[in-house]
Amino acid sequence: MRFNRILLSTTLVVVALVIQVSVLARLQLPGAVPDLVLLTVLGLALVYGHVGGALIGFGAGLLSDLAPPADHAAGRYALVLCVIGYLAGLAKPETGRLRSATGPLVVVVSAAIGSTLLYAGVGSLVGDTAARHVGLGGLLFTAALYDLLLAPFTVPLIIALARRAENDPLGEGSPANKAADVSSGWLSSGTGLRIGNQRGGLRAKAAKARVARAGRIKGVKRL
C-alpha cells in the first residue's frame, strides 16, 4: 500500500474507533452497537479493493481488540474485519465509480450480519457464549439496522476522501498520471497513423502524376 493510503486509512480508522468507543458505545441502544469502524473498513475496501480491504480490516480489528473496554481475546475482531474487508473489496466496481447507492447499502447490510455471525462463531470456538444470552437474532437485526442508518452519513464521505487521495497529482502511480500517459499514447499513435495515411496518399498521387506524365510523353513521341 502506498504512503497516502496508509496515512488516510490509519487516520480514518483511529477517528472512527475514538468516536465509537467514546460516543456510540455510551448511547445505551438496545441490542448491538453501531459499528463505525466496520463502515470505515467497508468504505475503504470499496475503493482499494480486496487486498487493501483485508489489510485495513485486520489493522482496524486489531486496534478494536486492544482498545478499552475490550473484553475478548486479542485478534478475534481482527480476523472478522480482515475477512469482511476482503469480501467487501471484491464488490469494488471495475470502473472505480459506483453507479447507484444500492450496491454499497447491500454491502453494509451483508457486512453487518456477516460480521456479527462470524464474531459469534469465533467466540463459540473459544468458549464465549455471550451472544447466546443476549439473543443472536436481536443482535443481527439491530446491527444491520444501526449500520444501515449510519452508512449514508459515513460511507460516501470515506469513499470521497479515499478517491481524492488516490487522485493525488504528486503520486507516481496515481490514476491521473496513468490517464495522462494513456491519453498521450493514444494521441501520439493517432497522429502517427494520420501522418502515415497522409504520406501514403501523397505517394499515390505522385505515382499517378508520373504515370500520366509518361503517357503524355509517349503520346507526343508517337505523333
Side-chain angles (χ1 to χ4, degrees):
M1 296 180 66
R2 297 184 303 175
F3 177 74
N4 57 342
R5 288 188 178 186
I6 297 175
L7 181 60
L8 178 64
S9 302
T10 304
T11 303
L12 292 177
V13 168
V14 170
V15 172
L17 182 59
V18 171
I19 295 176
Q20 181 168 329
V21 172
S22 60
V23 178
L24 298 179
R26 298 184 179 183
L27 294 178
Q28 301 298 325
L29 296 174
V33 176
D35 200 339
L36 186 57
V37 176
L38 173 64
L39 297 178
T40 303
V41 172
L42 295 180
L44 294 174
L46 290 175
V47 178
Y48 296 151
H50 58 282
V51 177
L55 294 176
I56 295 170
F58 178 80
L62 189 59
L63 288 178
S64 300
D65 290 332
L66 299 177
D71 55 353
H72 55 268
R76 180 176 170 184
Y77 202 49
L79 174 62
V80 172
L81 287 188
C82 180
V83 175
I84 296 299
Y86 179 86
L87 296 177
L90 295 177
K92 174 188 175 182
E94 296 180 357
T95 59
R97 295 292 179 180
L98 298 173
R99 297 181 179 180
S100 65
T102 305
L105 292 180
V106 172
V107 172
V108 168
V109 175
S110 302
I113 296 176
S115 61
T116 304
L117 289 175
L118 187 57
Y119 185 83
V122 175
S124 63
L125 293 178
V126 296
D128 186 1
T129 59
R132 298 179 182 178
H133 300 290
V134 176
L136 186 58
L139 285 178
L140 293 175
F141 176 77
T142 53
L145 178 62
Y146 296 155
D147 291 347
L148 187 61
L149 293 177
L150 190 59
F153 304 99
T154 56
V155 176
L157 177 61
I158 294 170
I159 292 177
L161 291 175
R163 284 176 178 168
R164 185 173 182 180
E166 284 293 282
N167 294 327
D168 184 6
L170 298 179
E172 294 179 357
S174 64
N177 290 340
K178 292 181 180 179
D181 295 339
V182 172
S183 61
S184 62
W186 275 105
L187 290 175
S188 61
S189 61
T191 304
L193 289 175
R194 287 195 293 270
I195 292 175
N197 292 335
Q198 291 175 0
R199 290 177 178 175
L202 291 176
R203 291 176 181 175
K205 291 180 181 179
K208 291 180 180 180
R210 286 196 297 269
V211 172
R213 191 182 306 111
R216 287 196 298 271
I217 294 174
K218 289 181 180 180
V220 172
K221 288 182 178 180
R222 289 175 183 177
L223 293 175

